[in-house]
Amino acid sequence: AQSVSQHNHHVILSEAASLELGCNYSYGGTVNLFWYVQYPGQHLQLLLKYFSGDPLVKGIKGFEAEFIKSKFSFNLRKPSVQWSDTAEYFCAVTGSGNTGKLIFGQGTTLQVKP
Amino acid sequence: ETGVTQTPRHLVMGMTNKKSLKCEQHLGHNAMYWYKQSAKKPLELMFVYSLEERVENNSVPSRFSPECPNSSHLFLHLHTLQPEDSALYLCASSQDGATQQFFGPGTRLTVL
């Protein structure tokens, strides 16, 4: 079955700490991968995406993610978090030729303490 | 951001009511989506419309009825809902199916 698993449900960090959020997927065929973020009171917005090419992708606000095909993983990283990064983070996958059936993980709530 | 708008933002309805959620996208996209976001569960895709035709119905109960009259508008008609249908309903749009989706702010639905 197609699925996305995010290992961490709730992460609490102090400012300047490094962040890594795990994401593993189960999906046959070529995939497109996404990380979305939902800041408190705001709508979901794209953080970064991978379609093809360099497996290390850089997104907005200093975030990056690495696609490791052999591990079916697309972990999100940031070397130094800020209080403003407090949000919920969602990993998602769809097939590259798909009709748009985006499959989401259950989300990770990140709380950054000032 | 006003790319995808949704109305109303909040809705409280009884189980016997009929209501509709509206979504409008101003991005010139050709695909639109309805998602359900419940607490402690992944976002669930409900419906996909591509070029105004429904291409995906993710086993959604018939008390939810989508309508896509044109490429810019998407509705979700609701009738005889259950309390467990209370959730945040999100609309999204994209240009073609597998590309980035842009989300609206959602409608917070409470069914009494």
Side-chain angles (χ1 to χ4, degrees):
Chain A
Q2 300 163 348
S3 65
V4 176
S5 177
Q6 292 182 237
H7 317 300
N8 319 98
H9 296 290
H10 198 150
V11 174
I12 302 174
L13 295 173
S14 298
E15 276 195 313
S18 64
L19 170 71
E20 181 159 3
L21 300 182
C23 173
N24 285 91
Y25 65 92
S26 173
Y27 201 105
T30 307
V31 295
N32 293 341
L33 294 155
F34 306 83
W35 275 98
Y36 281 86
V37 61
Q38 189 170 30
Y39 297 103
Q42 297 188 30
H43 56 271
L44 270 170
Q45 54 188 285
L46 185 71
L47 204 53
L48 48 77
K49 61 187 177 186
Y50 171 82
F51 287 177
S52 64
D54 188 344
L56 184 63
V57 292
K58 296 193 183 298
I60 60 172
K61 304 187 179 184
F63 286 90
E64 64 178 32
E66 184 175 13
F67 170 49
I68 303 180
K69 188 175 180 180
S70 61
K71 295 185 177 180
F72 300 93
S73 71
F74 190 55
N75 292 353
L76 181 71
R77 300 193 291 250
K78 185 171 183 178
S80 176
V81 295
Q82 300 173 306
W83 176 78
S84 58
D85 294 324
T86 295
E88 191 155 15
Y89 293 81
F90 297 90
C91 181
V93 63
T94 187
S96 59
N98 203 267
T99 55
K101 187 174 179 179
L102 198 60
I103 299 170
F104 281 86
Q106 65 269 49
T108 297
T109 301
L110 171 66
Q111 183 182 351
V112 180
K113 294 185 174 179
Chain B
E1 183 176 325
T2 58
V4 181
T5 57
Q6 290 185 242
T7 54
R9 295 293 306 276
H10 299 270
L11 178 62
V12 179
M13 59 186 290
M15 289 191 285
T16 58
N17 292 156
K18 289 184 180 181
K19 297 286 185 184
S20 295
L21 309 185
K22 179 183 176 182
C23 174
E24 184 172 358
Q25 60 98 357
H26 311 272
L27 301 169
H29 290 163
N30 59 12
M32 295 186 77
Y33 313 82
W34 279 117
Y35 290 87
K36 178 182 179 182
Q37 187 177 24
S38 305
K40 301 186 192 244
K41 291 177 69 175
L43 270 80
E44 302 169 60
L45 179 66
M46 300 175 72
F47 300 104
V48 179
Y49 275 82
S50 178
L51 299 172
E52 299 155 43
E53 287 199 22
R54 191 191 311 177
V55 297
E56 183 82 28
N57 175 345
N58 207 24
S59 303
V60 180
S62 59
R63 57 186 183 268
F64 295 91
S65 175
E67 179 190 0
C68 187
N70 55 62
S71 60
S72 299
H73 294 86
L74 185 65
F75 293 89
L76 188 63
H77 303 300
L78 316 171
H79 64 99
T80 58
L81 294 192
Q82 305 298 311
E84 59 264 29
D85 296 322
S86 298
L88 182 68
Y89 288 85
L90 294 171
C91 174
S93 71
S94 71
Q95 183 58 31
D96 302 324
T99 59
Q100 173 189 346
Q101 294 181 18
F102 291 78
F103 286 82
T107 295
R108 175 69 63 186
L109 174 67
T110 302
V111 181
L112 300 176

